Amino acid sequence: MSAAPLLEVRGLKKHYPVRKGLLQRTVGQVYAVDGVSFSVGHGETLGLVGESGCGKSTTGKSVIKLIEPTAGEISVEGRRIEGLTRAEMQSVRRQVQFVFQDPYSSLNPRMSAGDIVAEPLRNFGVAAKSEMRERVAGIFAKVGLRAEQMARFPHEFSGGQRQRIGIARALALNPGLIICDEPVSALDVSVQAQVINLLMDLQAEFRLSYLFIAHDLGVVEHISHRVAVMYLGKIVEIAPKRDIFRSPQHPYTEALLSAVPVPNPAKKSKRIILKGDVPSPINPPSGCRFHTRCPYAVARCSAEEPAIREIAPGHHVACHLR
């Protein structure tokens, strides 16, 4: 990996106004993403995990400005992009592509699979009309599809094949970074493995970087180099994969990992049951946002928000007790 990261995010925020009444006055904010910082190196996969509603998908969409961020700095290959206009973002979108969760709704049902993959090539004018079919057939081959399938429509494919089409579309412009938003959660387990292995093979061949958003820790452990754990709009721990899974330092990470099934029936694992429900992102707790459910919380946790700090090389955690 090169010294300069491909993607660098600092203090990213996305707040949604809460409006009520006849005049739709703003009465509060939903703090969906509230000060997130991370980087993704060249050829690296950063897994982003957490419970549903913690802000993972919003983070991914804000990074590429599919959702306009409220605040923060976003750099792609050293270029700041958060202030760019829609037209100026065109060149950035060649470098950063997106694979969506639902492989059916993310594809236009009126377009053939070949046209779907060819669309970004046409939009950016990177392939002549005479060579378009050959170019698209080559991309199909890269993702395990046949050239004769280019004339078919999305409803004629299985879920796994549709996701391969989505990956092919993302791959068409030779991007450096692909943001994968729960790319296998809608697929059968056996198909999940095929798609994950495909992503890893493509990464090895094209030195792709991935921001891999998921809630399945088994999948994240398989594909990621580093893992960032989110809770209620904030990253609470980020570290190399090995450190996260062998020695989690944040109580929330410990609880998440305790819920992962152990394949060995002879090995007993102690499940950590968190008390209460996830607080509302409209009115998050003071201090550490996890203190209302943390089994180790002390008075300081409710009064002072912990800064995320490095406790070992490459291992950062936001916890007063570490």
Side-chain angles (χ1 to χ4, degrees):
M1 298 176 192
S2 65
L6 191 155
L7 171 69
E8 188 161 15
V9 177
R10 292 287 173 263
L12 180 68
K13 295 183 180 182
K14 179 57 188 177
H15 300 166
Y16 294 96
V18 178
R19 295 187 172 94
K20 285 186 178 180
L22 189 63
L23 299 178
Q24 290 291 288
R25 290 197 175 109
T26 299
V27 296
Q29 298 283 335
V30 177
Y31 299 96
V33 178
D34 199 27
V36 164
S37 299
F38 60 87
S39 62
V40 183
H42 292 264
E44 180 188 36
T45 299
L46 176 69
L48 187 60
V49 302
E51 292 172 284
S52 295
C54 72
K56 304 186 302 295
S57 293
T58 304
T59 297
K61 290 173 182 175
S62 297
V63 163
I64 190 58
K65 296 185 68 177
L66 293 178
I67 297 173
E68 194 65 34
T70 303
E73 299 177 3
I74 308 166
S75 298
V76 176
E77 294 278 20
R79 179 189 182 190
R80 292 276 294 275
I81 69 167
E82 71 274 2
L84 298 185
T85 65
R86 188 184 184 93
E88 291 169 335
M89 278 296 295
Q90 281 291 92
S91 61
V92 179
R93 298 198 191 284
R94 284 194 62 173
Q95 296 173 275
V96 185
Q97 287 289 299
F98 211 99
V99 174
F100 296 91
Q101 178 176 359
D102 188 341
Y104 189 71
S105 63
S106 63
L107 303 178
N108 188 333
R110 293 189 174 91
M111 294 175 68
S112 70
D115 284 339
I116 288 170
V117 176
E119 186 176 31
L121 298 174
R122 293 194 192 97
N123 288 346
F124 286 88
V126 297
K129 190 173 182 179
S130 58
E131 63 179 28
M132 189 70 72
R133 179 177 171 78
E134 184 179 347
R135 182 85 171 259
V136 173
I139 299 170
F140 264 54
K142 292 290 184 187
V143 299
L145 297 172
R146 303 186 307 276
E148 55 264 30
Q149 293 175 298
M150 289 164 53
R152 297 183 186 177
F153 288 83
H155 72 272
E156 299 179 83
F157 292 91
S158 67
Q161 288 174 324
R162 284 196 286 265
Q163 196 58 292
R164 288 173 187 267
I165 296 170
I167 293 169
R169 177 177 59 189
L171 200 65
L173 294 171
N174 296 317
L177 173 70
I178 298 180
I179 300 173
C180 302
D181 184 13
E182 302 269 10
V184 297
S185 63
L187 308 177
D188 292 338
V189 174
S190 60
V191 180
Q192 286 184 12
Q194 295 171 16
V195 173
I196 290 298
N197 289 333
L198 170 64
L199 289 170
M200 294 176 73
D201 290 343
L202 292 171
Q203 182 175 53
E205 183 175 354
F206 298 107
R207 202 167 178 254
L208 293 169
S209 299
Y210 296 130
L211 175 59
F212 192 90
I213 300 164
H215 63 268
D216 188 327
L217 289 166
V219 170
V220 169
E221 184 178 16
H222 185 64
I223 194 172
S224 301
H225 297 101
R226 290 187 301 132
V227 178
V229 181
M230 279 193 77
Y231 182 80
L232 209 61
K234 288 185 175 289
I235 289 178
V236 297
E237 187 167 5
I238 183 167
K241 171 180 67 177
R242 180 187 178 117
D243 295 343
I244 286 282
F245 284 90
R246 290 196 177 186
S247 180
Q249 294 298 304
H250 196 281
Y252 177 63
T253 310
E254 288 181 349
L256 276 184
L257 292 175
S258 77
V260 177
V262 178
N264 184 356
K267 186 177 180 181
K268 300 291 183 182
S269 62
K270 184 180 179 182
R271 176 76 189 273
I272 299 173
I273 307 296
L274 297 176
K275 60 184 180 182
D277 297 321
V278 180
S280 169
I282 298 175
N283 186 27
S286 60
C288 174
R289 295 190 175 186
F290 186 60
H291 84 264
T292 57
R293 305 174 73 199
C294 180
Y296 314 113
V298 296
R300 183 185 179 191
C301 300
S302 60
E304 181 184 340
E305 182 178 342
I308 191 161
R309 57 193 178 84
E310 190 171 29
I311 59 169
H315 196 149
H316 296 77
V317 64
C319 182
H320 293 307
L321 305 179
R322 295 292 186 266

